[in-house]
Amino acid sequence: RQPGGAVAVTFAMAAGPPPPLDPPVLPAFSDEGFGDKFLRKTRENPLVPLGCLCTVGVLTYGLISFKKGNTRRSQLMMRARILAQGFTFAALLGGMVVTALKSKQ
């Protein structure tokens, strides 16, 4: 404050308020349906759906064997299911790594 009660005006205050910021540019997403997205993701990483199909197939065969009373085959198929799930998980992680490496380039 200056003598006499007057308020000192600084250069920043005299310049006025800052100009408005431009809104951030957001990426444009196309209207992609479930089927289109599924096909695109399958083309990007075809091993994941293949692993899922193998897992479901082995699980189904194991359950059928269990229902028929073939416990030996049922146990073998449950172990094979674990391997198929591991393959699917590895394919998923591998696809994520490849996608991350592509985005860095």
Side-chain angles (χ1 to χ4, degrees), residues 2-100:
Q2 293 180 348
V7 177
V9 177
T10 62
F11 179 70
M13 291 171 61
L21 298 174
D22 292 332
V25 178
L26 299 174
F29 293 104
S30 63
D31 291 333
E32 185 177 39
F34 175 77
D36 295 331
K37 185 175 182 178
F38 180 78
L39 289 175
R40 180 176 56 84
K41 293 286 188 177
T42 300
R43 283 188 208 107
E44 289 174 4
N45 194 357
L47 295 178
V48 173
L50 180 67
C52 290
L53 287 174
C54 288
T55 301
V56 169
V58 170
L59 175 64
T60 303
Y61 187 59
L63 290 173
I64 290 170
S65 297
F66 180 74
K67 184 169 177 133
K68 288 182 178 180
N70 191 348
T71 55
R72 182 174 170 86
R73 170 108 11 172
S74 174
Q75 284 296 312
L76 183 66
M77 289 299 107
M78 291 304 117
R79 291 182 185 130
R81 177 187 57 90
I82 298 297
L83 289 174
Q85 283 178 318
F87 172 79
T88 305
F89 186 70
L92 184 65
L93 285 179
M96 289 171 54
V97 168
V98 168
T99 303

